[in-house]
Protein backbone atom coordinates (compact mmCIF):
# COMPACT_ATOMS: atom_id res chain seq x y z
CA UNK A 1 0.00 0.00 0.00
CA UNK A 2 1.48 3.42 -0.92
CA UNK A 3 2.18 5.88 1.86
CA UNK A 4 -0.19 8.79 2.27
CA UNK A 5 0.96 12.29 1.33
CA UNK A 6 1.00 13.18 5.05
CA UNK A 7 3.39 10.28 5.69
CA UNK A 8 5.57 11.44 2.81
CA UNK A 9 5.69 14.99 4.21
CA UNK A 10 6.70 13.60 7.60
CA UNK A 11 9.54 11.61 6.04
CA UNK A 12 10.77 14.64 4.08
CA UNK A 13 10.57 16.86 7.16
CA UNK A 14 12.56 14.37 9.24
CA UNK A 15 15.20 14.10 6.50
CA UNK A 16 15.49 17.90 6.31
CA UNK A 17 15.80 18.21 10.08
CA UNK A 18 18.47 15.51 10.12
CA UNK A 19 20.37 17.25 7.29
CA UNK A 20 20.34 20.53 9.24
CA UNK A 21 22.05 18.77 12.13
CA UNK A 22 19.86 20.35 14.80
CA UNK A 23 18.98 17.83 17.44
CA UNK A 24 17.91 18.26 21.03
CA UNK A 25 20.81 17.80 23.46
CA UNK A 26 18.34 16.50 26.03
CA UNK A 27 16.36 13.85 24.14
CA UNK A 28 18.10 13.66 20.74
CA UNK A 29 14.99 14.51 18.73
CA UNK A 30 15.37 16.36 15.43
CA UNK A 31 12.08 18.18 16.09
CA UNK A 32 13.73 21.51 16.87
CA UNK A 33 12.35 25.00 16.31
CA UNK A 34 14.56 28.05 15.97
CA UNK A 35 13.24 31.04 17.92
CA UNK A 36 14.38 34.58 18.63
CA UNK A 37 15.99 35.02 22.05
CA UNK A 38 15.46 37.86 24.52
CA UNK A 39 18.24 40.09 23.16
CA UNK A 40 17.77 39.25 19.50
CA UNK A 41 19.95 36.15 19.72
CA UNK A 42 18.95 32.77 18.41
CA UNK A 43 17.56 30.08 20.68
CA UNK A 44 16.21 26.62 20.00
CA UNK A 45 13.27 24.69 21.45
CA UNK A 46 12.66 20.98 21.14
CA UNK A 47 9.04 20.41 20.17
CA UNK A 48 9.23 16.81 21.39
CA UNK A 49 10.33 17.38 25.01
CA UNK A 50 10.20 21.17 25.51
CA UNK A 51 13.91 21.60 26.27
CA UNK A 52 15.29 25.00 25.21
CA UNK A 53 18.87 26.17 24.67
CA UNK A 54 20.86 28.81 22.84
Amino acid sequence: MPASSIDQVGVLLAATEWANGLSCPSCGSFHVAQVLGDNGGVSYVCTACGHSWS
Side-chain angles (χ1 to χ4, degrees):
M1 174 185 288
S4 72
S5 56
I6 290 175
D7 291 338
Q8 291 171 348
V9 168
V11 167
L12 290 173
L13 181 59
T16 301
E17 291 167 338
W18 177 82
N20 286 337
L22 290 175
S23 64
C24 176
S26 181
C27 74
S29 173
F30 288 108
H31 295 264
V32 175
Q34 185 176 1
V35 294
L36 227 64
D38 292 338
N39 295 320
V42 176
S43 296
Y44 304 96
V45 176
C46 176
T47 59
C49 74
H51 179 75
S52 62
W53 69 99
S54 54

